[in-house]
Amino acid sequence: MIRSSREVEYVGAPGSGTTTLIEAIARATGHVPMTRHFTTLDWPTRTSGAEKLTRGHRHAVVLVISATDGPAPATGQLLRLIRAVGVEHVAVFVNKTDLLPDRELQQVLELEIRELLRRHAYPADEVPIVFGSAQQPSSVEELLAVTAGFPAAPRERDMHFLMPVEDVFTLSGPRPRTVLTGRIERGVLRVSDEVEYVGLSTSGTASVTAIERFRGERTEWAEAGENIGLELLGITREGVERGQVLAVPGTATAHSAFEAEVYVLPEDEGGRDVTFVRRRAQFYFRTTEVSGQIVLLRQGGQDIDVSWGGLTFMSVQLAEQVAMEKGMRFSIREGGKAVGGGVVTAILR
């Protein structure tokens, strides 16, 4: 089962009481809900729920709604993003219910919430909705009981092997060797496995002849989450480069055009006052940095030329092919500064 305090993201529109709820969860369970760390992003400390959803896989989300305000426009945007990033399990916590004691009004609010869920392709009649208050321990316990019932998240170890290449080295000696380093994103790698290197300027297959954990420890296998160095048979330093991925042959493909939902940082969250003026930016996929042309930019259903922050749709043409897949996260920078983070919603080419 999922431990609610570690593997469930809590998000809500401003004023919904999400921060208070997270603090209450921390007091009830002894630890703060999990926030994954990504060194490729330099977001400011104060981050929004929408931005956090673009920073790594979330198996389950609790959407927090204020009983006094009801679903805000930002609530619909969050649900749209939750659906876009592939979150499978959703629950709703209606906070501040003590300020809306009228049971009939609560029923009307529940119908409104379920209709909103239905519009975003969630099974509205099956999504748990908890009415309560983050200030009441009994409400927090009820919510934790709901999220504890979510199915367990799939283990990354059981997926097909994939590792982004971070660095490539040539080791001197009687037999010069080319060694690749990186952190295994998913799956298990064993000595003698065949892998395919995908993305950027080259591609091909090779066999793994050696695996080393850091500090020089030789091993016959390594799994998701481990930082390793590995040697590939017959590969030179010029044959593989940082930004490519190693994967089980046939399971990873490179693409140069895609559509995405992006959370653009507004100026008060560390972004720029106006973003994407020239429609060009640097895109970061895993360890890959590549420039891209933003072909289409849309916000609130309207085509726009610039963005001042918020949830934005874009269509992008990259300068090089990058190993990517639907649901993959990325970040965007301009002038060396992070200005947005998003998720691939469709592969175009």
Side-chain angles (χ1 to χ4, degrees):
M1 295 295 181
I2 289 177
R3 290 190 178 276
S4 305
S5 57
R6 288 195 183 276
E7 297 179 31
V8 178
E9 186 70 75
Y10 296 78
V11 299
S16 62
T18 307
T19 301
T20 303
L21 177 61
I22 290 175
E23 292 171 352
I25 296 280
R27 288 193 298 271
T29 62
H31 44 248
V32 178
M34 181 185 71
T35 299
R36 293 177 63 178
H37 176 63
F38 284 77
T39 56
T40 56
L41 296 175
D42 55 0
W43 301 102
T45 303
R46 182 167 58 88
T47 56
S48 69
E51 177 269 312
K52 286 193 290 184
L53 282 170
T54 67
R55 295 177 58 187
H57 181 68
R58 286 290 181 266
H59 184 62
V61 164
V62 170
L63 181 64
V64 184
I65 296 175
S66 169
T68 56
D69 300 330
T75 307
Q77 291 182 350
L78 282 171
L79 262 178
R80 179 180 169 190
L81 184 58
I82 289 168
R83 168 56 68 186
V85 301
V87 173
E88 301 174 33
H89 304 285
V90 173
V92 177
F93 183 72
V94 182
N95 195 18
K96 307 179 185 180
T97 304
D98 51 327
L99 302 179
L100 187 74
D102 190 314
R103 180 57 186 163
E104 290 187 2
L105 290 178
Q106 290 182 20
Q107 291 175 343
V108 172
L109 179 57
E110 180 176 349
L111 290 173
E112 187 179 354
I113 292 170
R114 293 199 185 279
E115 177 57 30
L116 184 64
L117 290 165
R118 189 174 291 108
R119 288 204 303 268
H120 289 83
Y122 279 102
D125 296 332
E126 301 173 16
V127 172
I129 299 179
V130 177
F131 283 79
S133 169
Q135 306 284 358
Q136 298 173 346
S138 59
S139 298
V140 174
E141 290 174 5
E142 183 180 357
L143 178 61
L144 288 173
V146 166
T147 56
F150 286 147
R155 296 196 307 167
E156 292 176 335
R157 186 184 188 280
D158 298 331
M159 301 178 182
H160 286 303
F161 165 77
L162 186 142
M163 187 189 88
V165 177
E166 293 182 1
D167 286 299
V168 183
F169 302 96
T170 298
L171 302 183
S172 59
R175 182 176 64 87
R177 298 176 297 150
T178 300
V179 175
L180 285 62
T181 63
R183 181 181 182 276
I184 299 178
E185 183 174 306
R186 60 189 185 224
V188 176
L189 180 69
R190 295 177 175 84
V191 172
S192 77
D193 280 353
E194 185 178 43
V195 295
E196 182 178 17
Y197 47 99
V198 178
L200 303 179
S201 58
T202 61
S203 63
T205 59
S207 295
V208 178
T209 56
I211 303 174
E212 277 191 10
R213 295 187 174 96
F214 285 128
R215 300 184 182 88
E217 177 190 351
R218 286 287 181 119
T219 181
E220 291 298 308
W221 63 278
E223 63 179 348
E226 290 191 89
N227 291 288
I228 63 168
L230 60 91
E231 182 181 347
L232 297 180
L233 180 65
I235 294 297
T236 65
R237 182 170 182 171
E238 293 72 28
V240 183
E241 59 184 305
R242 174 184 170 86
Q244 293 181 307
V245 302
L246 301 180
V248 174
T251 62
T253 53
H255 306 275
S256 60
F258 65 96
E259 292 178 349
E261 293 279 2
V262 176
Y263 182 76
V264 179
L265 281 176
E267 187 177 12
D268 61 358
E269 290 185 20
R272 296 183 179 277
D273 55 346
V274 176
T275 307
F276 311 131
V277 176
R278 295 184 179 85
R279 293 290 191 93
R280 295 199 66 84
Q282 292 296 114
F283 292 82
Y284 287 74
F285 295 83
R286 299 187 177 102
T287 59
T288 312
E289 174 188 356
V290 59
S291 63
Q293 177 75 37
I294 301 171
V295 180
L296 178 65
L297 196 61
R298 182 176 296 149
Q299 208 165 39
Q302 301 293 322
D303 291 354
I304 57 177
D305 292 321
V306 299
S307 172
W308 285 272
L311 189 62
T312 306
F313 168 87
M314 61 175 61
S315 176
V316 180
Q317 174 66 54
L318 298 176
E320 297 183 84
Q321 290 199 334
V322 173
M324 72 171 72
E325 56 200 12
K326 186 178 178 180
M328 182 177 172
R329 277 69 169 173
F330 61 91
S331 64
I332 307 173
R333 297 189 185 188
E334 282 189 336
K337 183 178 182 180
V339 296
V343 57
V344 176
T345 57
I347 302 292
L348 301 180
R349 184 165 58 255

